[in-house]
Amino acid sequence: MKRWGGWFAMIAVVFLAVPAMAAMTVKLGVVTKPGSAQNIAAEKFKALVDERTNGEVTVKVFHSASLGNETEILQQIQMGTVEMGVITSGVFDTFDPIVRVIDYPFLFRDDAQADAVLDGPLGAEILTGLEASGFKGLCFSENGFRNLTNSKRPVRTAADVSGLKIRVMDSALHNAIWQSMGANPTPMPWPIYTELEQGVIDGQENPLWVLEVYRFHEIQKYLTLTRHVYSPHIAVASLSWWNRLAPEMQSLLQTAMKAAAVFQRADNRARDADRLRMLEEEGMQIEKRPDIASFREKTDVMREMNLYQDPRVKSLLARMLAATR
Ligand code: EAX
């Protein structure tokens, strides 16, 4: 009898240690292809969830726009037909103008400052704010600092941008940034290789990994390290789905996504120097020290624009500017 008691106790311990979990498949959408920043975070998350749930929860990553562009993925997450996504902050603009405070031009000085703010209380306020639009904001991974490329001419000062046809994300803010700089912005969802190749647009702006993964050096001659916007990816879940999960599952997913984001940021940053070398070797002409003051002069007025007049957005922008000065 004593011996059986011992066995029961052991079995009970095993069951209590692993929270009861029903098998579940989670659809996660990213617009870009394997090797992209979004996909690296998504694949890491998938591996961690698999490991931490002993294979009970399967994350199925839909990449390369197989669920549509980023706006369409967000709509499906809102509706709950897709559970999760790792999505560029800029395109949240049409869902919630609060993200405009992150993409404010020349806000962040460097990676460390971006991490400190986004992983701190101001970042948490933005993530919580997304709940009003039906998204559970989990954390920020990174796209990175955005740089301008074009096929027409070297760009060193804001004046050189004048009249260039620049593709921008579907975002009122990003459109306004390039208008302020005197360019001719054209909103267009990702991907944009064909439009660049055929000359429908002269240029685009994105972090260095994008140039490498999408081989833009083949079709864009000039790169300027403008670093005009620090662009995170926001990992989100469908709020209605999230609210139905057990608290243990919520915390498992939240912790795994945070670990994936920490991994992906470091991975992305570690590879930038090599990317720059590769792009130069491949024949891109790179302006490494553009006249940033000339660009800032054009965009500093933007905080007064209508884009930032919603009281909630205005208040947060003021605090973001104070935290980054
Ligand atoms: O994440 O649409 C964009 O410019 C994004 O930055 C792109 O999907 C890379």
Side-chain angles (χ1 to χ4, degrees), residues 5 22 28 35 62 109 120 122 178 182 229 234 250 252 266 312 322-323:
L28 189 159
F62 291 82
R109 189 174 48 231
L122 294 176
W178 291 96
V229 166
I234 312 182
Q250 290 176 341
L252 189 150
R312 192 172 62 112

Side-chain angles (χ1 to χ4, degrees), residues 161-223:
V161 165
S162 174
L164 284 180
K165 205 159 180 200
I166 307 294
R167 173 270 178 177
V168 294
M169 290 181 283
D170 283 318
S171 151
L173 170 61
H174 282 266
N175 203 51
I177 292 174
W178 291 96
Q179 243 154 21
S180 303
M181 290 194 198
N184 183 3
T186 310
M188 203 177 270
W190 197 260
I192 57 170
Y193 189 95
T194 315
E195 288 79 0
L196 285 171
E197 191 181 30
Q198 295 177 347
V200 177
I201 40 180
D202 302 322
Q204 63 89 46
E205 39 82 57
N206 254 303
L208 294 180
W209 72 260
V210 172
L211 309 187
E212 178 191 31
V213 172
Y214 284 92
R215 306 189 64 79
F216 280 0
H217 47 86
E218 295 175 347
I219 46 172
Q220 295 276 274
K221 175 82 182 159
Y222 306 102
L223 164 63

Side-chain angles (χ1 to χ4, degrees), residues 31-32 38 70 88 143 146 167 169 190 206 209-210 233:
V31 75
T32 46
Q38 290 95 317
E70 290 194 303
T88 314
N143 199 354
R146 303 182 77 93
R167 173 270 178 177
M169 290 181 283
W190 197 260
N206 254 303
W209 72 260
V210 172
H233 289 132

Side-chain angles (χ1 to χ4, degrees), residues 45-61:
F45 173 68
K46 174 189 170 74
L48 290 173
V49 169
D50 180 62
E51 183 187 307
R52 294 176 185 182
T53 66
N54 299 317
E56 282 297 305
V57 176
T58 308
V59 176
K60 189 158 170 26
V61 179

Side-chain angles (χ1 to χ4, degrees), residues 99-162:
V99 297
R100 289 180 195 155
V101 304
I102 310 174
D103 287 38
Y104 186 80
F106 303 105
L107 179 69
F108 295 112
R109 189 174 48 231
D110 53 25
D111 298 335
Q113 192 184 54
D115 290 355
V117 172
L118 294 177
D119 296 345
L122 294 176
E125 193 174 323
I126 295 164
L127 293 175
T128 308
L130 292 175
E131 291 185 17
S133 319
F135 303 112
K136 170 68 191 176
L138 296 173
C139 62
F140 298 98
S141 53
E142 85 166 11
N143 199 354
F145 279 95
R146 303 182 77 93
N147 297 303
L148 178 69
T149 70
N150 85 95
S151 58
K152 290 280 187 234
R153 53 176 179 259
V155 169
R156 198 184 66 79
T157 72
D160 299 328
V161 165
S162 174

